[in-house]
Amino acid sequence: MKQNPDIVVIGAGAAGMMAAIEAGKRGRSVLVLDHAKTPGEKIRISGGGRCNFTNIHATAANYYSANPHFAKSALARYKPADFIALVDRHGIAWHEKTLGQLFCDGRATEIIDMLLKEMRAVDARLMTGVEIVEVSKSETGFALRTSEGALTTQSLIIATGGKSIPKMGATGFAYKIAEQFGLPLIETRPALVPFTLEPNLLAELSELSGVSVEAEITCRKTRFREALLFTHRGLSGPAVLQISAVWREGDEITIRLLPDMDWMALLKAAKAENGKQAIATLLAQYLPKRLAQYLANKSGLSGNLADLPDKALNKLSENLSAWRIKPAGTEGYRTAEVTLGGIDTAALDSRTMQAKAVPGLYFIGECVDVTGWLGGYNFQWAWASGVAAGQAA
Ligand SMILES: Cc1cc2nc3c(=O)[nH]c(=O)nc-3n(C[C@H](O)[C@H](O)[C@H](O)COP(=O)(O)OP(=O)(O)OC[C@H]3O[C@@H](n4cnc5c(N)ncnc54)[C@H](O)[C@@H]3O)c2cc1C
């Protein structure tokens, strides 16, 4: 390799590119290495191809971590407004979809192009298709052996992401480096991921495949209110992906369908006012038809409302407002949007992302034990932690 840079960033994803830009602005020479052929592959596929690049409501309260305070400093110093200003400077059109989630009007690749342009503007170099064979500590910093040769650097920023979607090049590289340098890890697990179901329940719910409905899902005292989607593999949709981050094996989830609805009051009023109506017909006025029919059957109810005892309506109301399901598991890293856990924040400086015990070594982005909710929060963490390291390395 031609020249030893001041900083090597391993991982040309959201966090790594952001760190390179920020460090480059300070006049540091930066080299970004990635084993993939192209940078920012997760950005490209994110947000259904439109990249939900931030969330205007992002604060540390929207993140899971063994230390809920850790993310505060970086998030406070690089805010959603800062990234929006960057996007605006590049003339990228965007819109708020829902709940503060900002998406590109066009393609997610506009965000990648923007980051690459910013890197070029500060002379940050990028090499893709490079395997990192070995990392070791040298007297003045770090020595790297790669498939393209050896190099040394003063500062090393690890930005290789989590384990989610191994098909796209995700590796446990950051965790291995952390272990090599004696940094503690918080156990990792897939999150923002669909649930799978036991075969019997899956077969029972298969008639609902494709049905989407507004729901509030609760697990371990955490609740999220968004869409629930029944699929041929199990349960998905934003509400399910959100709750998957707190769910643990063996837990039940409780589903409240159309959370604003007082189901018991509705059923009683309908029985009094329109007793000749069939129960499935009533439910289908509010819920997708297949779901209405399924719930009527599940509660063992058929016929007219007038013929149904209040006890039966109570059971139905419970199925509508507190439907309990025990997922068999999740789809795992194969489809998870993020990895919970990672480098223990206790080992890192929250202002700079530097390993407290290893001067010059930084960890940023998803590999750190900071995981955001669904909805642009994970990219905001990648940008903010990238900037924090880029300003310090
Ligand atoms: C399908 C999907 C959709 C998503 N949508 C959104 C969204 O809309 N909004 C949002 O906020 N978040 C979204 N996320 C989450 C978001 O993509 C990640 O949180 C974010 O990309 C993490 O950034 P990062 O830079 O830490 O890691 P990554 O973006 O994963 O980048 C890591 C980089 O390191 C490289 N690398 C890995 N191992 C090695 C190695 N051994 N040697 C060299 N290079 C290596 C990889 O090739 C990659 O380029 C989505 C995730 C998925 C999977």
Side-chain angles (χ1 to χ4, degrees), residues 197-209 294 297-298 323:
L197 301 170
E198 295 296 346
N200 286 345
L201 185 57
L202 183 63
E204 188 185 315
L205 294 178
S206 64
E207 63 190 87
L208 299 179
S209 181
Y294 169 82
N297 295 346
K298 175 179 158 66
W323 182 4

Side-chain angles (χ1 to χ4, degrees), residues 11 13-15 34-35 45-47 52 159-161 171 173 337 365-366 376 378-379:
D34 202 298
H35 68 167
I45 60 156
S46 68
N52 177 192
T160 48
T171 64
F173 183 82
E337 285 200 9
E366 197 181 315
N378 283 296
F379 278 136

Side-chain angles (χ1 to χ4, degrees), residues 49 64 99 102 130 167 173 177 183 268 278 315 356 360 365:
Y64 304 101
L99 303 170
L102 305 192
V130 182
K167 225 169 64 186
F173 183 82
I177 297 292
L183 270 59
K268 277 190 172 156
K315 186 171 173 206
K356 289 173 186 165

Side-chain angles (χ1 to χ4, degrees), residues 10-16 33-36 38-43 45-47 51-53 103 130-132 159-162 164-165 168-171 173 335-338 364-367 375-380 382:
I10 305 181
L33 302 175
D34 202 298
H35 68 167
T38 42
E41 275 297 272
K42 283 219 178 128
I43 301 175
I45 60 156
S46 68
C51 187
N52 177 192
F53 55 80
F103 285 77
V130 182
E131 295 299 327
I132 313 300
T160 48
S164 45
I165 326 254
M168 293 192 65
T171 64
F173 183 82
T335 62
E337 285 200 9
V338 288
I364 55 173
E366 197 181 315
C367 67
Y377 299 98
N378 283 296
F379 278 136
Q380 188 57 36

Side-chain angles (χ1 to χ4, degrees), residues 26-350:
R26 293 167 45 232
R28 302 280 277 161
S29 62
V30 186
L31 173 63
V32 183
L33 302 175
D34 202 298
H35 68 167
K37 285 200 193 89
T38 42
E41 275 297 272
K42 283 219 178 128
I43 301 175
R44 187 177 59 77
I45 60 156
S46 68
R50 289 189 193 278
C51 187
N52 177 192
F53 55 80
T54 192
N55 192 299
I56 53 173
H57 304 306
T59 70
N62 306 109
Y63 294 83
Y64 304 101
S65 172
N67 176 0
H69 303 294
F70 179 81
K72 282 181 182 168
S73 171
L75 289 171
R77 283 179 297 125
Y78 192 82
K79 298 204 165 94
D82 296 313
F83 196 77
I84 295 168
L86 177 62
V87 166
D88 286 344
R89 273 205 302 281
H90 284 258
I92 298 172
W94 53 268
H95 61 279
E96 180 181 346
K97 196 169 165 192
T98 175
L99 303 170
Q101 301 167 3
L102 305 192
F103 285 77
C104 297
D105 288 358
R107 310 301 306 160
T109 45
E110 291 178 54
I111 298 291
I112 304 172
D113 293 343
M114 174 190 83
L115 295 169
L116 292 173
K117 217 165 157 184
E118 288 279 317
M119 279 171 63
R120 281 193 297 272
V122 295
D123 288 329
R125 284 186 294 149
L126 168 66
M127 283 180 74
T128 53
V130 182
E131 295 299 327
I132 313 300
V133 181
E134 193 184 42
V135 172
S136 55
K137 191 92 187 68
S138 72
E139 259 177 39
T140 50
F142 299 87
L144 272 71
R145 277 203 305 125
T146 80
S147 55
E148 300 299 310
L151 76 159
T152 60
T153 183
Q154 291 165 11
S155 299
L156 180 62
I157 301 180
I158 308 293
T160 48
K163 293 180 182 171
S164 45
I165 326 254
K167 225 169 64 186
M168 293 192 65
T171 64
F173 183 82
Y175 315 125
K176 276 194 214 132
I177 297 292
E179 272 173 356
Q180 180 189 334
F181 286 96
L183 270 59
L185 293 174
I186 301 288
E187 194 189 349
T188 56
R189 48 185 297 123
L192 308 188
V193 61
F195 286 134
T196 55
L197 301 170
E198 295 296 346
N200 286 345
L201 185 57
L202 183 63
E204 188 185 315
L205 294 178
S206 64
E207 63 190 87
L208 299 179
S209 181
V211 168
S212 173
V213 62
E214 165 92 12
E216 183 182 82
I217 306 188
T218 307
C219 183
R220 293 182 176 242
K221 295 187 183 150
T222 300
R223 58 191 63 195
F224 283 99
R225 179 184 175 155
E226 283 186 65
L228 155 69
L229 174 69
F230 297 87
T231 73
H232 64 284
R233 285 201 293 261
L235 303 177
S236 189
V240 166
L241 301 187
Q242 295 281 30
I243 211 71
S244 71
V246 298
W247 179 86
R248 295 292 179 270
E249 282 72 15
D251 282 350
E252 272 187 341
I253 57 168
T254 305
I255 300 169
R256 184 178 176 88
L257 296 167
L258 304 185
D260 288 332
M261 187 75 87
D262 182 342
W263 286 108
M264 197 56 213
L266 175 91
L267 294 172
K268 277 190 172 156
K271 181 178 172 180
E273 291 157 22
N274 196 1
K276 286 193 180 147
Q277 196 174 35
I279 187 73
T281 313
L282 172 70
L283 294 181
Q285 286 173 25
Y286 303 93
L287 294 168
K289 201 169 163 197
R290 276 188 282 156
L291 181 58
Q293 189 61 58
Y294 169 82
L295 288 164
N297 295 346
K298 175 179 158 66
S299 311
L301 304 180
S302 57
N304 294 344
L305 279 162
D307 303 329
L308 300 174
D310 280 355
K311 204 171 144 200
L313 293 185
N314 269 327
K315 186 171 173 206
L316 175 60
S317 165
E318 200 180 306
N319 281 336
L320 290 158
S321 48
W323 182 4
R324 295 156 84 89
I325 289 184
K326 192 170 178 177
T330 73
E331 290 185 6
Y333 290 116
R334 189 177 62 80
T335 62
E337 285 200 9
V338 288
T339 304
L340 272 175
I343 319 300
D344 189 341
T345 59
L348 304 179
D349 179 327
S350 65

